[in-house]
Amino acid sequence: MKVINKDASFFTSWHKLEAGEDLPLGCLVGVKDDGKLYKATNKTGTPIKAVGIIYQGSTKLWGAEYKLKREDILRKGDFSDVYRFAVITDATIDGTPKFGDPLYLGVDGAITATVPTGVGTLVQQIGWYEGEQSGFKIVKVCLAYPTKTLES
């Protein structure tokens, strides 16, 4: 998975936040009361609204030369900026969307093509499906849509 964005402060929604758990590249994240990043989720009873997407992993030292390399995971305790607008190539999507279909926050940072249902479930549109290119699914993320929690 690759996250593409413009490197401008306009696109950044949160600066230098600490990861409260390991977060994979491209994961939708939210902020809990402790001010740390966690996987956003629409789970009933424990929803965490998506405020951004992880676009870079942790820096790690490798070998005797101590070269800096990026991982595909932001490790718990490491810091990162979080972006609210992004393009994801090679996205993993639950369901089978068609071009232009809206996409929603799923469970544990996932992206789903299915509108969430059930009392207490968070419904948050996170972007839309842009189709495939060279076999890679492309998603445009825009975390500016209003959210709602389903009631009885």
Side-chain angles (χ1 to χ4, degrees):
M1 179 180 308
K2 183 175 181 183
V3 180
I4 304 166
N5 58 38
K6 293 182 181 178
D7 192 17
S9 60
F10 170 77
F11 292 96
T12 307
S13 55
W14 301 89
H15 293 283
K16 304 296 180 215
L17 288 179
E18 182 179 352
E21 63 182 328
D22 288 352
L23 299 167
L25 187 67
C27 179
L28 295 168
V29 294
V31 179
K32 285 189 178 180
D33 292 340
D34 62 3
K36 296 180 182 177
L37 295 170
Y38 294 89
K39 292 176 187 168
T41 186
N42 68 358
K43 283 183 187 174
T44 302
T46 58
I48 301 171
K49 179 183 173 184
V51 296
I53 188 166
I54 295 297
Y55 75 97
Q56 68 181 17
S58 296
T59 303
K60 186 174 182 179
L61 298 174
W62 288 82
E65 296 178 4
Y66 296 104
K67 291 184 181 176
L68 294 177
K69 292 196 172 186
R70 289 274 175 202
E71 297 181 329
D72 288 339
I73 294 176
L74 179 64
R75 300 280 176 206
K76 179 179 179 177
D78 286 348
F79 291 82
S80 179
D81 291 347
V82 177
Y83 285 74
R84 59 184 171 183
F85 301 100
V87 176
I88 305 173
T89 59
D90 196 17
T92 301
I93 304 169
D94 296 334
T96 52
K98 296 182 181 103
F99 178 81
D101 281 354
L103 298 172
Y104 301 90
L105 172 63
V107 176
D108 293 334
I111 298 171
T112 182
T114 307
V115 179
T117 60
V119 175
T121 302
L122 177 69
V123 179
Q124 182 179 8
Q125 183 179 345
I126 57 91
W128 60 94
Y129 183 61
E130 284 287 302
E132 287 191 29
Q133 186 174 13
S134 302
F136 294 114
K137 292 181 180 177
I138 300 176
V139 171
K140 287 202 175 169
V141 175
C142 175
L143 294 170
Y145 296 104
T147 61
K148 66 179 178 179
T149 302
L150 297 178
E151 299 176 6
S152 58

